mmCIF file of all heavy atoms in Angstrom:
data_model
loop_
_atom_site.group_PDB
_atom_site.id
_atom_site.type_symbol
_atom_site.label_atom_id
_atom_site.label_comp_id
_atom_site.label_asym_id
_atom_site.label_seq_id
_atom_site.Cartn_x
_atom_site.Cartn_y
_atom_site.Cartn_z
ATOM 1 N N LYS B 258 1.817 -21.676 -14.718
ATOM 2 C CA LYS B 258 3.230 -21.682 -15.094
ATOM 3 C C LYS B 258 4.125 -22.097 -13.928
ATOM 4 O O LYS B 258 4.996 -22.944 -14.070
ATOM 5 C CB LYS B 258 3.595 -20.274 -15.557
ATOM 6 C CG LYS B 258 4.845 -20.155 -16.407
ATOM 7 C CD LYS B 258 4.881 -18.722 -16.917
ATOM 8 C CE LYS B 258 6.001 -18.439 -17.878
ATOM 9 N NZ LYS B 258 5.935 -17.059 -18.369
ATOM 10 N N VAL B 259 3.909 -21.511 -12.745
ATOM 11 C CA VAL B 259 4.774 -21.871 -11.607
ATOM 12 C C VAL B 259 4.496 -23.303 -11.143
ATOM 13 O O VAL B 259 5.405 -24.001 -10.695
ATOM 14 C CB VAL B 259 4.698 -20.872 -10.417
ATOM 15 C CG1 VAL B 259 5.178 -19.503 -10.831
ATOM 16 C CG2 VAL B 259 3.333 -20.808 -9.796
ATOM 17 N N GLN B 260 3.250 -23.742 -11.292
ATOM 18 C CA GLN B 260 2.953 -25.131 -10.922
ATOM 19 C C GLN B 260 3.648 -26.110 -11.877
ATOM 20 O O GLN B 260 4.168 -27.128 -11.442
ATOM 21 C CB GLN B 260 1.443 -25.374 -10.907
ATOM 22 C CG GLN B 260 0.793 -24.813 -9.650
ATOM 23 C CD GLN B 260 -0.686 -25.104 -9.604
ATOM 24 O OE1 GLN B 260 -1.458 -24.521 -10.326
ATOM 25 N NE2 GLN B 260 -1.066 -26.039 -8.746
ATOM 26 N N ARG B 261 3.668 -25.768 -13.151
ATOM 27 C CA ARG B 261 4.392 -26.606 -14.125
ATOM 28 C C ARG B 261 5.871 -26.683 -13.781
ATOM 29 O O ARG B 261 6.534 -27.672 -14.045
ATOM 30 C CB ARG B 261 4.243 -26.037 -15.543
ATOM 31 C CG ARG B 261 2.958 -26.413 -16.243
ATOM 32 C CD ARG B 261 3.088 -26.269 -17.760
ATOM 33 N NE ARG B 261 3.553 -24.946 -18.177
ATOM 34 C CZ ARG B 261 2.765 -23.882 -18.328
ATOM 35 N NH1 ARG B 261 1.481 -23.985 -18.082
ATOM 36 N NH2 ARG B 261 3.252 -22.732 -18.728
ATOM 37 N N LEU B 262 6.383 -25.618 -13.191
ATOM 38 C CA LEU B 262 7.793 -25.602 -12.815
ATOM 39 C C LEU B 262 8.033 -26.300 -11.477
ATOM 40 O O LEU B 262 9.139 -26.271 -10.937
ATOM 41 C CB LEU B 262 8.312 -24.162 -12.769
ATOM 42 C CG LEU B 262 8.410 -23.482 -14.142
ATOM 43 C CD1 LEU B 262 8.625 -21.987 -14.003
ATOM 44 C CD2 LEU B 262 9.528 -24.102 -14.976
ATOM 45 N N GLY B 263 6.980 -26.890 -10.921
ATOM 46 C CA GLY B 263 7.149 -27.728 -9.746
ATOM 47 C C GLY B 263 6.878 -27.063 -8.409
ATOM 48 O O GLY B 263 7.195 -27.621 -7.366
ATOM 49 N N VAL B 264 6.290 -25.865 -8.420
ATOM 50 C CA VAL B 264 5.980 -25.213 -7.147
ATOM 51 C C VAL B 264 4.567 -25.619 -6.727
ATOM 52 O O VAL B 264 3.602 -25.307 -7.416
ATOM 53 C CB VAL B 264 6.055 -23.670 -7.264
ATOM 54 C CG1 VAL B 264 5.640 -23.010 -5.962
ATOM 55 C CG2 VAL B 264 7.448 -23.232 -7.671
ATOM 56 N N PRO B 265 4.428 -26.349 -5.604
ATOM 57 C CA PRO B 265 3.069 -26.733 -5.193
ATOM 58 C C PRO B 265 2.273 -25.537 -4.679
ATOM 59 O O PRO B 265 2.817 -24.652 -4.019
ATOM 60 C CB PRO B 265 3.291 -27.760 -4.077
ATOM 61 C CG PRO B 265 4.729 -27.713 -3.729
ATOM 62 C CD PRO B 265 5.459 -26.853 -4.701
ATOM 63 N N LEU B 266 0.999 -25.543 -5.016
ATOM 64 C CA LEU B 266 0.086 -24.510 -4.548
ATOM 65 C C LEU B 266 -0.752 -25.164 -3.453
ATOM 66 O O LEU B 266 -1.563 -26.038 -3.739
ATOM 67 C CB LEU B 266 -0.783 -24.082 -5.738
ATOM 68 C CG LEU B 266 -1.594 -22.814 -5.674
ATOM 69 C CD1 LEU B 266 -0.735 -21.624 -5.308
ATOM 70 C CD2 LEU B 266 -2.264 -22.582 -7.025
ATOM 71 N N LEU B 267 -0.511 -24.804 -2.197
ATOM 72 C CA LEU B 267 -1.210 -25.436 -1.077
ATOM 73 C C LEU B 267 -2.299 -24.496 -0.576
ATOM 74 O O LEU B 267 -2.025 -23.509 0.097
ATOM 75 C CB LEU B 267 -0.219 -25.765 0.046
ATOM 76 C CG LEU B 267 1.021 -26.586 -0.366
ATOM 77 C CD1 LEU B 267 1.967 -26.761 0.821
ATOM 78 C CD2 LEU B 267 0.602 -27.941 -0.920
ATOM 79 N N LEU B 268 -3.540 -24.815 -0.930
ATOM 80 C CA LEU B 268 -4.644 -23.921 -0.581
ATOM 81 C C LEU B 268 -5.291 -24.351 0.733
ATOM 82 O O LEU B 268 -5.204 -25.507 1.135
ATOM 83 C CB LEU B 268 -5.672 -23.900 -1.721
ATOM 84 C CG LEU B 268 -5.096 -23.442 -3.065
ATOM 85 C CD1 LEU B 268 -6.120 -23.598 -4.172
ATOM 86 C CD2 LEU B 268 -4.615 -21.999 -2.983
ATOM 87 N N GLY B 269 -5.944 -23.392 1.399
ATOM 88 C CA GLY B 269 -6.574 -23.682 2.680
ATOM 89 C C GLY B 269 -5.566 -23.982 3.769
ATOM 90 O O GLY B 269 -5.784 -24.813 4.641
ATOM 91 N N ARG B 270 -4.434 -23.300 3.714
ATOM 92 C CA ARG B 270 -3.350 -23.579 4.649
ATOM 93 C C ARG B 270 -2.774 -22.250 5.155
ATOM 94 O O ARG B 270 -2.647 -21.295 4.399
ATOM 95 C CB ARG B 270 -2.277 -24.374 3.891
ATOM 96 C CG ARG B 270 -1.275 -25.096 4.731
ATOM 97 C CD ARG B 270 -0.502 -26.107 3.887
ATOM 98 N NE ARG B 270 -1.017 -27.458 4.047
ATOM 99 C CZ ARG B 270 -0.752 -28.239 5.095
ATOM 100 N NH1 ARG B 270 0.034 -27.818 6.059
ATOM 101 N NH2 ARG B 270 -1.261 -29.442 5.176
ATOM 102 N N THR B 271 -2.428 -22.201 6.429
ATOM 103 C CA THR B 271 -1.899 -20.974 7.016
ATOM 104 C C THR B 271 -0.535 -21.224 7.666
ATOM 105 O O THR B 271 -0.169 -22.373 7.910
ATOM 106 C CB THR B 271 -2.887 -20.378 8.040
ATOM 107 O OG1 THR B 271 -2.483 -19.057 8.373
ATOM 108 C CG2 THR B 271 -2.940 -21.198 9.316
ATOM 109 N N VAL B 272 0.194 -20.157 7.940
ATOM 110 C CA VAL B 272 1.491 -20.278 8.609
ATOM 111 C C VAL B 272 1.271 -20.198 10.118
ATOM 112 O O VAL B 272 0.659 -19.251 10.608
ATOM 113 C CB VAL B 272 2.445 -19.119 8.218
ATOM 114 C CG1 VAL B 272 3.831 -19.338 8.817
ATOM 115 C CG2 VAL B 272 2.525 -18.989 6.724
ATOM 116 N N LEU B 273 1.777 -21.182 10.840
ATOM 117 C CA LEU B 273 1.662 -21.142 12.305
ATOM 118 C C LEU B 273 2.868 -20.444 12.928
ATOM 119 O O LEU B 273 2.771 -19.822 13.981
ATOM 120 C CB LEU B 273 1.564 -22.558 12.870
ATOM 121 C CG LEU B 273 0.344 -23.374 12.469
ATOM 122 C CD1 LEU B 273 0.373 -24.724 13.150
ATOM 123 C CD2 LEU B 273 -0.940 -22.626 12.820
ATOM 124 N N GLY B 274 4.020 -20.604 12.298
ATOM 125 C CA GLY B 274 5.203 -19.973 12.864
ATOM 126 C C GLY B 274 6.440 -20.269 12.043
ATOM 127 O O GLY B 274 6.430 -21.119 11.146
ATOM 128 N N VAL B 275 7.493 -19.522 12.362
ATOM 129 C CA VAL B 275 8.805 -19.797 11.764
ATOM 130 C C VAL B 275 9.775 -20.044 12.911
ATOM 131 O O VAL B 275 9.611 -19.488 14.004
ATOM 132 C CB VAL B 275 9.292 -18.629 10.871
ATOM 133 C CG1 VAL B 275 8.405 -18.481 9.653
ATOM 134 C CG2 VAL B 275 9.383 -17.329 11.646
ATOM 135 N N TYR B 276 10.763 -20.876 12.659
ATOM 136 C CA TYR B 276 11.653 -21.293 13.743
ATOM 137 C C TYR B 276 13.096 -21.331 13.244
ATOM 138 O O TYR B 276 13.359 -21.544 12.055
ATOM 139 C CB TYR B 276 11.204 -22.665 14.266
ATOM 140 C CG TYR B 276 9.740 -22.625 14.648
ATOM 141 C CD1 TYR B 276 8.750 -22.983 13.735
ATOM 142 C CD2 TYR B 276 9.350 -22.111 15.889
ATOM 143 C CE1 TYR B 276 7.405 -22.865 14.047
ATOM 144 C CE2 TYR B 276 8.001 -21.983 16.211
ATOM 145 C CZ TYR B 276 7.035 -22.361 15.287
ATOM 146 O OH TYR B 276 5.709 -22.209 15.585
ATOM 147 N N GLY B 277 14.015 -21.116 14.180
ATOM 148 C CA GLY B 277 15.433 -21.125 13.845
ATOM 149 C C GLY B 277 16.204 -20.500 14.984
ATOM 150 O O GLY B 277 15.607 -19.976 15.934
ATOM 151 N N ASN B 278 17.519 -20.541 14.907
ATOM 152 C CA ASN B 278 18.321 -19.978 15.994
ATOM 153 C C ASN B 278 18.333 -18.464 15.977
ATOM 154 O O ASN B 278 17.879 -17.830 16.917
ATOM 155 C CB ASN B 278 19.749 -20.536 15.939
ATOM 156 C CG ASN B 278 19.801 -21.935 16.532
ATOM 157 O OD1 ASN B 278 19.090 -22.221 17.495
ATOM 158 N ND2 ASN B 278 20.591 -22.811 15.940
ATOM 159 N N SER B 279 18.819 -17.878 14.925
ATOM 160 C CA SER B 279 18.806 -16.419 14.876
ATOM 161 C C SER B 279 18.128 -15.932 13.603
ATOM 162 O O SER B 279 17.935 -14.742 13.407
ATOM 163 C CB SER B 279 20.228 -15.881 14.945
ATOM 164 O OG SER B 279 20.975 -16.421 13.876
ATOM 165 N N ARG B 280 17.762 -16.859 12.733
ATOM 166 C CA ARG B 280 17.012 -16.502 11.535
ATOM 167 C C ARG B 280 16.181 -17.711 11.115
ATOM 168 O O ARG B 280 16.332 -18.783 11.680
ATOM 169 C CB ARG B 280 17.947 -16.060 10.409
ATOM 170 C CG ARG B 280 19.006 -17.069 9.992
ATOM 171 C CD ARG B 280 19.552 -16.743 8.631
ATOM 172 N NE ARG B 280 18.453 -16.722 7.670
ATOM 173 C CZ ARG B 280 18.377 -15.881 6.647
ATOM 174 N NH1 ARG B 280 19.311 -14.999 6.458
ATOM 175 N NH2 ARG B 280 17.347 -15.942 5.819
ATOM 176 N N VAL B 281 15.306 -17.493 10.150
ATOM 177 C CA VAL B 281 14.390 -18.561 9.755
ATOM 178 C C VAL B 281 15.158 -19.778 9.233
ATOM 179 O O VAL B 281 16.008 -19.660 8.347
ATOM 180 C CB VAL B 281 13.417 -18.056 8.659
ATOM 181 C CG1 VAL B 281 12.539 -19.190 8.146
ATOM 182 C CG2 VAL B 281 12.556 -16.918 9.187
ATOM 183 N N GLU B 282 14.877 -20.940 9.824
ATOM 184 C CA GLU B 282 15.427 -22.201 9.317
ATOM 185 C C GLU B 282 14.309 -23.129 8.852
ATOM 186 O O GLU B 282 14.533 -24.040 8.074
ATOM 187 C CB GLU B 282 16.292 -22.868 10.393
ATOM 188 C CG GLU B 282 17.602 -22.096 10.636
ATOM 189 C CD GLU B 282 18.346 -22.542 11.887
ATOM 190 O OE1 GLU B 282 18.016 -23.612 12.435
ATOM 191 O OE2 GLU B 282 19.243 -21.792 12.329
ATOM 192 N N SER B 283 13.103 -22.910 9.410
ATOM 193 C CA SER B 283 11.955 -23.677 8.939
ATOM 194 C C SER B 283 10.671 -22.912 9.221
ATOM 195 O O SER B 283 10.654 -21.967 10.014
ATOM 196 C CB SER B 283 11.901 -25.045 9.631
ATOM 197 O OG SER B 283 11.602 -24.874 10.998
ATOM 198 N N ALA B 284 9.623 -23.342 8.543
ATOM 199 C CA ALA B 284 8.297 -22.763 8.780
ATOM 200 C C ALA B 284 7.329 -23.914 8.948
ATOM 201 O O ALA B 284 7.516 -24.987 8.360
ATOM 202 C CB ALA B 284 7.883 -21.886 7.602
ATOM 203 N N ILE B 285 6.311 -23.711 9.775
ATOM 204 C CA ILE B 285 5.281 -24.730 9.954
ATOM 205 C C ILE B 285 3.957 -24.158 9.456
ATOM 206 O O ILE B 285 3.569 -23.051 9.835
ATOM 207 C CB ILE B 285 5.110 -25.135 11.449
ATOM 208 C CG1 ILE B 285 6.442 -25.568 12.076
ATOM 209 C CG2 ILE B 285 4.038 -26.213 11.605
ATOM 210 C CD1 ILE B 285 6.917 -26.948 11.711
ATOM 211 N N THR B 286 3.293 -24.913 8.590
ATOM 212 C CA THR B 286 1.963 -24.495 8.135
ATOM 213 C C THR B 286 0.951 -25.558 8.554
ATOM 214 O O THR B 286 1.326 -26.683 8.898
ATOM 215 C CB THR B 286 1.910 -24.336 6.601
ATOM 216 O OG1 THR B 286 2.166 -25.606 5.982
ATOM 217 C CG2 THR B 286 2.925 -23.325 6.106
ATOM 218 N N ALA B 287 -0.311 -25.209 8.539
ATOM 219 C CA ALA B 287 -1.365 -26.177 8.848
ATOM 220 C C ALA B 287 -2.604 -25.834 8.041
ATOM 221 O O ALA B 287 -2.804 -24.679 7.648
ATOM 222 C CB ALA B 287 -1.692 -26.157 10.337
ATOM 223 N N LYS B 288 -3.429 -26.859 7.798
ATOM 224 C CA LYS B 288 -4.713 -26.635 7.131
ATOM 225 C C LYS B 288 -5.633 -25.870 8.071
ATOM 226 O O LYS B 288 -5.499 -25.966 9.285
ATOM 227 C CB LYS B 288 -5.359 -27.982 6.779
ATOM 228 C CG LYS B 288 -4.751 -28.618 5.552
ATOM 229 C CD LYS B 288 -5.653 -29.718 5.032
ATOM 230 C CE LYS B 288 -5.217 -30.063 3.632
ATOM 231 N NZ LYS B 288 -5.850 -31.232 3.096
ATOM 232 N N VAL B 289 -6.562 -25.134 7.489
ATOM 233 C CA VAL B 289 -7.527 -24.410 8.318
ATOM 234 C C VAL B 289 -8.940 -24.948 8.067
ATOM 235 O O VAL B 289 -9.231 -25.469 6.984
ATOM 236 C CB VAL B 289 -7.498 -22.887 8.032
ATOM 237 C CG1 VAL B 289 -6.177 -22.273 8.476
ATOM 238 C CG2 VAL B 289 -7.774 -22.581 6.563
ATOM 239 N N ASP B 290 -9.771 -24.811 9.103
ATOM 240 C CA ASP B 290 -11.179 -25.205 8.941
ATOM 241 C C ASP B 290 -11.961 -24.033 8.327
ATOM 242 O O ASP B 290 -11.389 -23.009 7.973
ATOM 243 C CB ASP B 290 -11.774 -25.670 10.280
ATOM 244 C CG ASP B 290 -11.745 -24.585 11.352
ATOM 245 O OD1 ASP B 290 -11.663 -23.375 11.004
ATOM 246 O OD2 ASP B 290 -11.788 -24.928 12.552
ATOM 247 N N GLU B 291 -13.286 -24.180 8.250
ATOM 248 C CA GLU B 291 -14.062 -23.131 7.582
ATOM 249 C C GLU B 291 -14.054 -21.812 8.362
ATOM 250 O O GLU B 291 -14.340 -20.761 7.817
ATOM 251 C CB GLU B 291 -15.505 -23.602 7.272
ATOM 252 C CG GLU B 291 -16.350 -23.987 8.454
ATOM 253 C CD GLU B 291 -16.052 -25.423 8.946
ATOM 254 O OE1 GLU B 291 -15.122 -26.062 8.424
ATOM 255 O OE2 GLU B 291 -16.755 -25.873 9.852
ATOM 256 N N LYS B 292 -13.672 -21.869 9.650
ATOM 257 C CA LYS B 292 -13.559 -20.620 10.426
ATOM 258 C C LYS B 292 -12.133 -20.081 10.401
ATOM 259 O O LYS B 292 -11.767 -19.233 11.210
ATOM 260 C CB LYS B 292 -14.007 -20.852 11.873
ATOM 261 C CG LYS B 292 -15.511 -21.003 12.001
ATOM 262 C CD LYS B 292 -15.903 -21.280 13.440
ATOM 263 C CE LYS B 292 -17.394 -21.526 13.562
ATOM 264 N NZ LYS B 292 -17.707 -22.325 14.772
ATOM 265 N N MET B 293 -11.312 -20.617 9.514
ATOM 266 C CA MET B 293 -9.928 -20.185 9.341
ATOM 267 C C MET B 293 -9.042 -20.537 10.535
ATOM 268 O O MET B 293 -7.989 -19.953 10.726
ATOM 269 C CB MET B 293 -9.835 -18.656 9.072
ATOM 270 C CG MET B 293 -10.543 -18.206 7.819
ATOM 271 S SD MET B 293 -9.643 -18.757 6.355
ATOM 272 C CE MET B 293 -10.943 -18.716 5.127
ATOM 273 N N GLN B 294 -9.501 -21.502 11.333
ATOM 274 C CA GLN B 294 -8.697 -21.937 12.479
ATOM 275 C C GLN B 294 -7.861 -23.146 12.070
ATOM 276 O O GLN B 294 -8.343 -24.035 11.360
ATOM 277 C CB GLN B 294 -9.612 -22.313 13.662
ATOM 278 C CG GLN B 294 -10.398 -21.134 14.223
ATOM 279 C CD GLN B 294 -9.513 -19.965 14.625
ATOM 280 O OE1 GLN B 294 -8.561 -20.130 15.384
ATOM 281 N NE2 GLN B 294 -9.804 -18.787 14.089
ATOM 282 N N PRO B 295 -6.589 -23.201 12.529
ATOM 283 C CA PRO B 295 -5.736 -24.331 12.143
ATOM 284 C C PRO B 295 -6.282 -25.662 12.669
ATOM 285 O O PRO B 295 -6.807 -25.739 13.792
ATOM 286 C CB PRO B 295 -4.385 -24.002 12.797
ATOM 287 C CG PRO B 295 -4.576 -22.776 13.608
ATOM 288 C CD PRO B 295 -5.908 -22.181 13.314
ATOM 289 N N ILE B 296 -6.188 -26.706 11.856
ATOM 290 C CA ILE B 296 -6.665 -28.035 12.252
ATOM 291 C C ILE B 296 -5.485 -28.838 12.801
ATOM 292 O O ILE B 296 -4.523 -29.095 12.067
ATOM 293 C CB ILE B 296 -7.285 -28.775 11.040
ATOM 294 C CG1 ILE B 296 -8.415 -27.938 10.416
ATOM 295 C CG2 ILE B 296 -7.800 -30.167 11.450
ATOM 296 C CD1 ILE B 296 -8.901 -28.455 9.058
ATOM 297 N N PRO B 297 -5.544 -29.227 14.083
ATOM 298 C CA PRO B 297 -4.439 -29.998 14.668
ATOM 299 C C PRO B 297 -4.203 -31.298 13.891
ATOM 300 O O PRO B 297 -5.159 -31.941 13.438
ATOM 301 C CB PRO B 297 -4.913 -30.295 16.096
ATOM 302 C CG PRO B 297 -5.986 -29.292 16.370
ATOM 303 C CD PRO B 297 -6.627 -28.994 15.044
ATOM 304 N N GLY B 298 -2.953 -31.663 13.737
ATOM 305 C CA GLY B 298 -2.624 -32.896 13.035
ATOM 306 C C GLY B 298 -2.341 -32.698 11.557
ATOM 307 O O GLY B 298 -1.924 -33.619 10.861
ATOM 308 N N THR B 299 -2.580 -31.458 11.046
ATOM 309 C CA THR B 299 -2.345 -31.212 9.610
ATOM 310 C C THR B 299 -1.063 -30.413 9.385
ATOM 311 O O THR B 299 -0.825 -29.904 8.299
ATOM 312 C CB THR B 299 -3.524 -30.449 8.979
ATOM 313 O OG1 THR B 299 -3.627 -29.167 9.637
ATOM 314 C CG2 THR B 299 -4.833 -31.199 9.129
ATOM 315 N N GLU B 300 -0.256 -30.267 10.452
ATOM 316 C CA GLU B 300 0.959 -29.445 10.345
ATOM 317 C C GLU B 300 1.930 -30.018 9.315
ATOM 318 O O GLU B 300 2.047 -31.235 9.153
ATOM 319 C CB GLU B 300 1.678 -29.340 11.703
ATOM 320 C CG GLU B 300 0.925 -28.560 12.767
ATOM 321 C CD GLU B 300 -0.089 -29.420 13.524
ATOM 322 O OE1 GLU B 300 -0.251 -30.616 13.187
ATOM 323 O OE2 GLU B 300 -0.722 -28.871 14.452
ATOM 324 N N LYS B 301 2.594 -29.109 8.638
ATOM 325 C CA LYS B 301 3.601 -29.502 7.653
ATOM 326 C C LYS B 301 4.812 -28.609 7.867
ATOM 327 O O LYS B 301 4.677 -27.405 8.073
ATOM 328 C CB LYS B 301 3.031 -29.305 6.242
ATOM 329 C CG LYS B 301 3.980 -29.663 5.116
ATOM 330 C CD LYS B 301 3.256 -29.500 3.773
ATOM 331 C CE LYS B 301 4.222 -29.465 2.595
ATOM 332 N NZ LYS B 301 4.996 -30.687 2.404
ATOM 333 N N ARG B 302 5.991 -29.252 7.848
ATOM 334 C CA ARG B 302 7.223 -28.482 8.049
ATOM 335 C C ARG B 302 7.852 -28.165 6.702
ATOM 336 O O ARG B 302 7.931 -29.015 5.811
ATOM 337 C CB ARG B 302 8.181 -29.326 8.895
ATOM 338 C CG ARG B 302 9.472 -28.658 9.255
ATOM 339 C CD ARG B 302 10.395 -29.709 9.875
ATOM 340 N NE ARG B 302 11.761 -29.372 9.573
ATOM 341 C CZ ARG B 302 12.609 -28.947 10.503
ATOM 342 N NH1 ARG B 302 12.231 -28.856 11.758
ATOM 343 N NH2 ARG B 302 13.851 -28.644 10.158
ATOM 344 N N HIS B 303 8.274 -26.923 6.540
ATOM 345 C CA HIS B 303 8.922 -26.498 5.299
ATOM 346 C C HIS B 303 10.342 -26.068 5.643
ATOM 347 O O HIS B 303 10.521 -25.166 6.465
ATOM 348 C CB HIS B 303 8.183 -25.309 4.679
ATOM 349 C CG HIS B 303 6.715 -25.553 4.460
ATOM 350 N ND1 HIS B 303 6.188 -25.919 3.254
ATOM 351 C CD2 HIS B 303 5.660 -25.503 5.338
ATOM 352 C CE1 HIS B 303 4.878 -26.069 3.367
ATOM 353 N NE2 HIS B 303 4.535 -25.823 4.632
ATOM 354 N N ASP B 304 11.332 -26.720 5.049
ATOM 355 C CA ASP B 304 12.715 -26.324 5.318
ATOM 356 C C ASP B 304 13.102 -25.178 4.394
ATOM 357 O O ASP B 304 13.530 -25.387 3.270
ATOM 358 C CB ASP B 304 13.645 -27.530 5.131
ATOM 359 C CG ASP B 304 13.424 -28.572 6.218
ATOM 360 O OD1 ASP B 304 13.364 -28.173 7.399
ATOM 361 O OD2 ASP B 304 13.245 -29.754 5.889
#
Side-chain angles (χ1 to χ4, degrees):
Chain B
K258 200 171 185 178
V259 297
Q260 282 182 287
R261 278 201 306 277
L262 291 167
V264 176
L266 195 54
L267 307 176
L268 301 173
R270 197 166 261 282
T271 192
V272 186
L273 296 182
V275 294
Y276 306 93
N278 281 324
S279 58
R280 57 161 302 144
V281 175
E282 290 168 14
S283 68
I285 306 283
T286 63
K288 282 196 165 171
V289 293
D290 60 22
E291 61 279 5
K292 287 178 184 156
M293 299 289 158
Q294 295 305 307
I296 304 169
T299 62
E300 293 85 357
K301 179 177 164 63
R302 183 190 149 110
H303 306 261
D304 291 313

